[in-house]
Amino acid sequence: MGSKDVYFFGGTMTEGNAQMKELLGGKGANLAEMSLLGIPVPPGFTITTEVCNKFYTEGKDAVVKMLTEQVKEAMGKVEKVVDGPKFGDKENPLLVSVRSGARASMPGMMDTILNLGLNDQAVEAIIARSGNARFAWDSYRRFIQMYSGVVMGMKPVEKDDEDVFEEIIDELKHEKGIKLDSEFVTEDLQELVKRFKAVIKDKLGKDFPTDPWEQLWNAVMAVFESWMNDRAIFYRKLNNIPAEWGTAVNVQAMVFGNMNDRSGSGVAFTRDASTGEDLFNGEFLVNAQGEDVVAGTRTPQQISLEGSRRNAVLKGFSEEERKASGLSLEEMMPEIFKELTAIQKKLELHYKDMQDLEFTIQDGKLWLLQTRSGKRTGAAAVKIAIDMLNEGQIDEKEAILRVDPQKVDELLHPIFEPEALTKATVIAKGLPASPGAATGQIVFFADDAEHIMKAHVGRKLILVRIETSAEDLKGMDAAEGILTARGGMTSHAAVVARGMGKCCVSGVSELRINYKMRTLTIGEKVYREGDWISLNGTTGEVYDGQVDTKPAEMSEDFETLMKLTAKFARLKVRANADTPHDATVARQFGAVGIGLCRTEHMFFEGKKIIAMREMILSETTEEREKALAKLLPLQQEDFEGIFMSMQGLPVTVRLLDPPLHEFLPQDITGIEEMTEAMGISESRIKQKMSALHETNPMLGHRGCRLANTYPEIAVMQTRAILQAALNLKKKGIEVFPEIMVPLTSSIAEMKMQEGIIRKTAQKVFEEMGDSIKFEVGTMIEIPRAALTADQMAESAEFFSIGTNDLTQMTFGFSRDDIGKFLPIYMEKGILKEDPFQVIDREGVGQLIKMAATKGRETRPNMKVGICGEHGGEPSSIEFCHIVGLNYVSCSPYRVPIARLAAAQAAIRYK
Amino acid sequence: MGSKDVYFFGGTMTEGNAQMKELLGGKGANLAEMSLLGIPVPPGFTITTEVCNKFYTEGKDAVVKMLTEQVKEAMGKVEKVVDGPKFGDKENPLLVSVRSGARASMPGMMDTILNLGLNDQAVEAIIARSGNARFAWDSYRRFIQMYSGVVMGMKPVEKDDEDVFEEIIDELKHEKGIKLDSEFVTEDLQELVKRFKAVIKDKLGKDFPTDPWEQLWNAVMAVFESWMNDRAIFYRKLNNIPAEWGTAVNVQAMVFGNMNDRSGSGVAFTRDASTGEDLFNGEFLVNAQGEDVVAGTRTPQQISLEGSRRNAVLKGFSEEERKASGLSLEEMMPEIFKELTAIQKKLELHYKDMQDLEFTIQDGKLWLLQTRSGKRTGAAAVKIAIDMLNEGQIDEKEAILRVDPQKVDELLHPIFEPEALTKATVIAKGLPASPGAATGQIVFFADDAEHIMKAHVGRKLILVRIETSAEDLKGMDAAEGILTARGGMTSHAAVVARGMGKCCVSGVSELRINYKMRTLTIGEKVYREGDWISLNGTTGEVYDGQVDTKPAEMSEDFETLMKLTAKFARLKVRANADTPHDATVARQFGAVGIGLCRTEHMFFEGKKIIAMREMILSETTEEREKALAKLLPLQQEDFEGIFMSMQGLPVTVRLLDPPLHEFLPQDITGIEEMTEAMGISESRIKQKMSALHETNPMLGHRGCRLANTYPEIAVMQTRAILQAALNLKKKGIEVFPEIMVPLTSSIAEMKMQEGIIRKTAQKVFEEMGDSIKFEVGTMIEIPRAALTADQMAESAEFFSIGTNDLTQMTFGFSRDDIGKFLPIYMEKGILKEDPFQVIDREGVGQLIKMAATKGRETRPNMKVGICGEHGGEPSSIEFCHIVGLNYVSCSPYRVPIARLAAAQAAIRYK
């Protein structure tokens, strides 16, 4: 054959490097890279991805034949590096691991075999050399279990299939009267090996293979086979990974941290993963394997003396107590510590990022098993990025790319005190509807929340509702957080809470709320009004009792990062804001305009809701105009406030969108209030409510359908917008109004609205003797509007893509109702992501792209943006950048996230 | 210039012909054609459409200059043909009409001026020559009104603008103490002319023009100007007529049927428009204008003696009475009758179609004013087409094209007795939801209808409901017709009624139904249970009382026509059928398979609904499987019945589609029945109902979302289908089952369903020791499925495009709720057609095309059809043909319509 199919790594003979991921897979390439850096890595070799393809075209025998010489040679090099143990040797056997490693990470999809090379002789040799019989037998029985599962097909496939090995283990426990695996003594493990072998012989009619080479070849082939198992195929399909990529196979010498007291295992971070401080830190355990460090059965020791001392201060330990609780690695094995310190520095400088390391010390020798970019908090991410930029390790683009925009959210909302959180109990889990942490006393009614807060400033309340409606706004504002039993990520509660920057957990289906009794029942436990609970809106967790929180802290580094984004982002970031307060917050966070000002939220206060209801109850155009005349000055005032907050920046005002019945009272009390306030009969209200009832309100009489049937509504709103703008203009304030028509599905609808708006504008300008520039555009939120965007652009001067509704209609999913199947769809992998959170690029994305492309065919400089929840979600923002939109608009508290995501997209996709 | 801009027609000098529509417009080209045939047409000339474009690029003066000589010359020819009157002559003035005439018909969009050439002298000359002063003055005042409106801009533009002429007329009526225009005497008309002129002078500061040539040029230019009026622009936009086409102007000599007793006007049909019989027939009036014949103030006389005698027989007149009531034209003016008979024959042979003629006799001379294809009933259309085919006038393709598929519907349903209908009063109008006529006694509850029909066979009932639900099925079946207050053309009532071939009028918003009082109120009138009403489901009209109906009659000619369609149609026609009865009807009408068998309708009977509800109330998979096990044999039985009816033909079975709450009772009585039947508490049922409640059920937990969350449902249904198929196979009956997954939005959903179905099939085949070929496909009814059809086709073996839901989601219109705005949208021209009736080619059509194209990219021989209401609508069927679908599926009673439409599409679009 002559081709090179096996690449050695380790010692000074490494053949691959980090650039060779296509051939060696991610794992193989990185092991080679570490080795090239001179870092001690257990030696091994990688069989290339191309061999995997040969395996499928030419079969097992051809592949074994082709590889035999190369593998033998590579194994020879491994033996040379480990200098002593030899593969298959009876006195000093070399054990290896066999692992898959594809070009893209496919966690858990394919198989791994550890401790390969063990057999009855080898186990004795290991005992002889390590002096640790239990360790050796436990390794052996695990090897048999793993190998016969993966290679010999004895692994249960479906969850109901029997697992013969687990049955044997349970049987022996029963016989011995013990409960835990750790209670097995050496003889028990020996017994297990015996029974395992017997059951294999019984089931398969053949013996467990004792020849290490036979074991090795079979294991390698099994890894190749696992590339085509159902899980892997499904995973690749979901992640668009071509089958032709194949997987590499890594064969690597085993090292053992649990061999003796000159051994150990640990994990370390090159900087503080919580604060970002430039401090090498980590934990380790003597005479232990990697799993033991994370398992928590033994308390790990600190790596550095400084870390150990800081820890002692936190715990209030004296120096004596500190030493008694466990010395640091620096104290116990100073040479190893020095070597590790040098390695971590080297790795960080090489990878130019904070690293998360795994190491094992075997009999006084340090081995690195893994290095990867370390996970970190949002605060740490920002600090590390800016520090490394200042250190000259990375450039500005890289600094921006280093911060996960999702993590930035943490910096903008309160979080739980880490200490308090360790003692808290999760009682339920729902959707992480609006981030942040909140603790407070339960209240069930929005009115109550409002009244309590007026009477007792400083009280902390959690508003608990089956679902919220527009009437609950003030109560939501008064509460620390909102918890609902129904509703998804884009339910009323979720959307409003995010807009307020307030914590919310929604759709917690296990909540049973009894409004009459004022109780909340979760499982067996009953919570009453006034009881404390806590919410984590970032994770969706609900906690029992009071869990202390601490406020958001925005660092100087964060400001630096935000300034950097402006240098690179091409997408503009606007905010969705309906009040002067929201507008001001958004502006502080760096929004360059309002992309969505919803006028309907304005109608829910005092006089406005009364006039609105009069309008709805009108039977004639005249009555309707009379009621609208009352609304006009109130709306105008609202607009003046918002225009003032946003002076100098554009404000997109969306005309009335929701169905009229949303403005009618939702219950008997509301109806009674209405009859009193308006002096009309209950039956008339009920009659109107019934007339306005819709089977599918989402697809009903709303948006421009309202204003096309009752044009006087659009007339009033246009008046209010332009009169407000002209009033401010008189005072020398710059205003850029953009009037947006919602829910258009055809050019005829749009043209009719445009006509009404322009005609009204002309009248207003004549009346006021002055004029102002304004634009008329439309939401693209109905599939048909996207499909016919070339026509829509004949009338619309800008498009704002309403991805919430567009997603609803493109998928046929009601966001109010998806709670019944979306969680199951996610669990079964039918949906990888909630399409209401992350833009579905394959489906909805086609329509977004079509809207922009077709719109610009007609109007080449068409401004196209998105509003809706996706405007603040990084992957969606990236997509908007890729398809060439002009801006995204999101809730004020997500503006920084959007700015960062926009900059990242611009760097990644030019 | 040298170009030819004016084309003469009339006498023997005609310059244009029917092929020159682009240049002369439709009207001009056809007038020329008639003239070429030697038929006496009032002479005139056509100014070409190209001149219209010049008018807009070069202006009025240039056009007048260019035309002057040509128009003078053409006018000279007109004068030559009329041989006497001359344009602008004082003694014998020639009057002309000026009319627009575009390439495409734009009825009422542009302006017309009659009697042009009149002035104070001309009116006296006309009186002198005609001896009819009243006629002359009335013509004059009408001319002033028309001319000053069109040319001088005195026509009211908006409906609230004042109409000065009508005000003057009203004033004079008031002064004279009269009410009708016809009561004016000559002097009054003279007075009107005076006052009209005065008001023109007053308003415009100039006199009404007296020079006929000035009148003519201004009129011609006004017609060109009307090409760009708002109405015309809007109409063109709606109908995709390019502005560049321009309009021609026709100037034609006036002829007067009301000049004296040797004059008259009439209309005639070359064959009987009602029955299709080959009988020349029509009506006329002596000394009258065309308007008078249709106005109905005088009773017109028959044209032929035979017609007159037939008429007399119908009325029971003796020959004396017949003569007294008015002689036929044949008797009164035998020469004219002879000439007319020859002309009608010539025109029919020339145009090869039944013609509708307008003629005027002026002072003993016959003039033809118009000929066009005559409107006809469905029965007449079929008979005429087949007769003409047999006569050798037209070929098979032409015969097929001659029958309007919509009219075929009339042949398949009962209609009102024409005589009875003349006496009936329309009391309300709704949507023509399901065609046919029905008369019966009002009943408000489906149960009642069922019981009454069991007790009193032969009673006729009309079921009157606010809306219907699945529980009403049997009652709907028992009634003659269904009337609902809510719901559109695709509401439950409409869809089910069409499927049953039963008359239905839906969405009659003026109905007020009180179930408790059992009353139906329309306006002031209250109808009680048992009162008679009648429905016309073809027009949407509701009649007071009993209006007799007569059953459908299918002629031999119709059978011949249907056989012809098979020769040409490329699209196959299947039926939507859920029962063996429906399947049999469909097969009789020529369906070649079932394209949509909805399984949910099967669940509403007796034992099935109980088992279904047990399934819904299940809390665990085990409980659910137990309930499903009860449903299995019942479903299997259903399928055996349908497969048997359809043996040898494919049957597409759609798995469960609607949300589960549709199977729960809708009211208290239902809940009580359920608690009794199932022995469970009311509160449990209510709890489940509340848990299943959805805000937007259309976009909720339904379709494959149900079967993906509860796979056991799909397992049971697959079993039922395949066990039924294998049972019949055993008996030697051929079955071709196609299993269809509803409401897929992604390939992952589809693959999961396909997996369940294939796995179940394998089990069934193993159990029964036999197998059968079947296909697995999906509905494409969600925009995303169409957008990703290339992926869907990886799993689906066929696509059935569900145009109802696809239209709902593409437009964002809930078909249950559109009643609130759709009528207004149609009225305002925002929608030209109800998209739930006629496929929206521009929007929804893009997705349909995409589904077929992308699907076949993956699976080149993919079978793609549509089901849903559009499958029986001719324009939609044409679209399906154009985009290359394989079949349409529609309700059984529309199969013949679909077959005809499919053949027409194939002939028109190859």
Side-chain angles (χ1 to χ4, degrees), chain B residues 717-787:
Chain B
Q717 292 204 295
T718 304
R719 260 192 185 279
I721 293 164
L722 295 176
Q723 289 178 181
L726 286 174
N727 275 352
L728 293 193
K729 187 184 171 193
K730 248 187 263 167
K731 299 180 191 156
I733 290 158
E734 269 194 310
V735 182
F736 302 102
E738 299 172 338
I739 301 179
M740 181 154 76
V741 179
L743 213 76
T744 47
S745 61
S746 70
I747 177 63
E749 275 181 310
M750 180 61 201
K751 286 217 165 143
M752 192 148 293
Q753 283 292 296
E754 192 203 352
I756 295 165
I757 294 164
R758 297 219 177 271
K759 204 168 158 186
T760 306
Q762 217 176 341
K763 278 191 193 160
V764 171
F765 294 165
E766 278 167 21
E767 287 166 16
M768 299 188 63
D770 194 5
S771 71
I772 194 164
K773 208 180 145 328
F774 68 98
E775 291 187 353
V776 181
T778 187
M779 295 278 286
I780 301 284
E781 51 188 334
I782 285 186
R784 195 178 187 283
L787 289 163

Side-chain angles (χ1 to χ4, degrees), chain B residues 384-396 399 560 564:
Chain B
I384 292 171
I386 300 301
D387 280 354
M388 285 193 163
L389 173 65
N390 293 338
E391 290 160 17
Q393 285 206 56
I394 55 176
D395 64 10
E396 290 179 340
T560 310
L564 277 184

Side-chain angles (χ1 to χ4, degrees), chain A residues 282-286 298-303 325-328 332:
Chain A
E283 295 177 330
F284 84 109
L285 277 175
V286 173
R298 287 162 61 190
T299 306
Q301 297 143 258
Q302 287 293 307
I303 286 180
S325 77
L327 292 174
S328 66
M332 287 182 74

Side-chain angles (χ1 to χ4, degrees), chain A residues 147-160:
Chain A
Y147 180 94
S148 62
V150 171
V151 179
M152 304 174 85
M154 291 190 63
K155 190 167 51 180
V157 179
E158 302 210 2
K159 68 170 188 207
D160 296 337

